[in-house]
Amino acid sequence: MHATLPKLQDTDFPAIRRGRLETLQVNVGYQCNQTCVHCHVNAGPSRTEAMSRETVDEAIAFLETSGVGTLDITGGAPELNKHFRALVLAARRLGIHVIDRCNLTVLEQPGQEDTAEFLAANAVEIIASLPCYLEENVDAQRGKGVFEASIRVLRRLNRLGYGQPGSGLSLNLVYNPQGPTLPPPQAPLEADYQRHLQERYDVRFNRLYVLANMPIQRFGSLLISKGRFEEYLALLKGAYQPQNVESVMCRTLVSVDWRGYLYDCDFNQMLELPLRLAGRPRVHLRDLASRRLDGNVIQVKDHCYGCTAGQGSSCGGALAP
Ligand code: SF4
Ligand code: SF4
């Protein structure tokens, strides 16, 4: 795979600082049952990196003292980490809102037979990638048969109450473009998804989050191979909207890797750009207990233009819908 960081280092992205920490995003490992073309994690079945019980306990200790309101669990496929449920249960006991970034098909993997019920019983919000409502586009990006399996799982989640009015069980979908283009406006695309998935498949969901592809990891490498990296970066820069800088997710979120090290966001984690604090080159979760991150300088590079282009892009979708 081609390295993308050398092409992003020399940046003119504005300097930004952290606000109040609201969300702890924990990447519990890179193992995944899928190998999607656009994966910014380069996850797959052969990856072995997984958060240990000891590091999960350090994350729980941080949740107990930090006052964050949301735990956002990501991967890989987070459910494949054997301590996933312990982390969810501990956070829920603390009254913390929990998000599972779920690829849907993992819920049909051996050993995951009751994971959907576990998520529903603990009122875990599910955010799931479905990069199109057309089968051929999803299978091209995420693998053959992924669309059909995803629809099966969405229907099962609906039967458990997910995406149903008044259930309190949120089911949100994520769209990203197939190629090196900006995503379309979120609201009309959400309406198209709602209509198509309901009429054709009887599937319901709450919100559609529209995300830009980041020019890093597998997608960035693909662009380099095709000689289109610079063109895509120019597109992101050309669509820069300064008002989006105020609400990029790194201002209120901190990302933790499977070993417990901290980053300003998941993208920086994948680029191995650690969060810097008090002159330290690397900060571990256990070092953070007594420190606040407010006002800390965020590590920005040219990929940050992926968050500010057009309507903006964050783990919660468009910034300026
Ligand atoms: S399902 Fe998600 S984590 Fe797994 S390969 Fe696809 S994009 Fe990456
Ligand atoms: S890529 Fe990360 S550090 Fe850069 S603006 Fe987006 S969230 Fe912030």
Side-chain angles (χ1 to χ4, degrees), residues 26 34 58 62 69 104 108:
V26 178
Q34 293 183 188
E58 286 169 338
F62 179 77
L104 298 174
E108 293 196 329

Side-chain angles (χ1 to χ4, degrees), residues 20-83:
R20 191 172 148 266
L21 184 63
E22 293 170 3
T23 300
L24 183 71
Q25 188 174 66
V26 178
N27 190 318
V28 292
Y30 305 152
Q31 195 190 5
C32 188
N33 56 308
Q34 293 183 188
T35 47
C36 307
V37 177
H38 294 62
C39 184
H40 73 267
V41 185
N42 198 22
S46 60
R47 299 296 297 259
T48 53
E49 299 90 339
M51 187 172 274
S52 66
R53 180 63 211 225
E54 189 188 358
T55 308
V56 165
D57 286 342
E58 286 169 338
I60 293 169
F62 179 77
L63 292 173
E64 283 167 349
T65 56
S66 62
V68 299
T70 299
L71 170 67
D72 185 341
I73 312 177
T74 182
E79 306 84 353
L80 296 178
N81 182 302
K82 60 185 176 189
H83 310 300

Side-chain angles (χ1 to χ4, degrees), residues 281-294:
R282 217 174 232 294
V283 186
H284 195 274
L285 194 54
R286 74 176 85 90
D287 304 326
L288 200 59
S290 54
R291 287 177 177 270
R292 291 178 71 86
L293 289 173
D294 305 35

Side-chain angles (χ1 to χ4, degrees), residues 13 16 214 248-251 264-268 298-301 303-308 313:
F13 194 83
I16 49 175
M214 275 286 163
V248 286
M249 62 186 172
C250 49
R251 290 202 189 264
D264 287 307
C265 71
D266 202 40
F267 305 124
N268 284 9
I298 294 167
Q299 297 300 312
V300 296
K301 300 288 176 220
H303 65 298
C304 296
Y305 284 105
C307 292
T308 53
S313 181

Side-chain angles (χ1 to χ4, degrees), residues 66-229:
S66 62
V68 299
T70 299
L71 170 67
D72 185 341
I73 312 177
T74 182
E79 306 84 353
L80 296 178
N81 182 302
K82 60 185 176 189
H83 310 300
F84 171 76
R85 294 189 188 201
L87 180 57
V88 170
L89 289 171
R92 294 300 293 135
R93 268 197 297 273
L94 293 166
I96 290 171
H97 178 68
V98 177
I99 298 170
D100 175 27
R101 295 200 176 253
C102 176
N103 70 14
L104 298 174
T105 60
V106 72
L107 300 181
E108 293 196 329
Q109 292 289 301
Q112 302 293 329
E113 291 79 4
D114 64 347
T115 303
E117 285 74 10
F118 169 81
L119 296 171
N122 289 286
V124 174
E125 175 182 349
I126 294 178
I127 299 185
S129 254
L130 192 71
C132 192
Y133 49 72
L134 298 175
E135 184 165 0
E136 58 271 28
N137 289 344
V138 173
D139 285 3
Q141 193 179 120
R142 297 178 74 78
K144 193 160 169 41
V146 167
F147 184 81
E148 199 183 331
S150 299
I151 294 294
R152 245 187 345 259
V153 171
L154 286 170
R155 293 169 80 162
R156 183 169 159 215
L157 291 171
N158 283 167
R159 287 196 295 277
L160 289 168
Y162 273 103
Q164 307 287 7
S167 70
L169 294 175
S170 293
L171 173 58
N172 301 313
L173 301 182
V174 175
Y175 165 92
N176 62 288
Q178 303 283 315
T181 54
L182 290 180
Q186 183 165 280
L189 188 64
E190 179 180 280
D192 284 352
Y193 261 69
Q194 294 278 13
R195 192 173 48 252
H196 192 88
L197 290 180
Q198 188 167 337
E199 283 173 6
R200 184 107 193 244
Y201 301 104
D202 196 24
V203 161
R204 285 165 179 74
F205 66 95
N206 297 99
R207 300 295 318 278
L208 179 74
Y209 297 150
V210 166
L211 267 57
N213 289 317
M214 275 286 163
I216 64 171
Q217 288 287 51
R218 214 173 271 160
F219 184 67
S221 177
L222 190 74
L223 291 178
I224 293 173
S225 302
K226 292 183 168 177
R228 301 191 69 184
F229 189 90

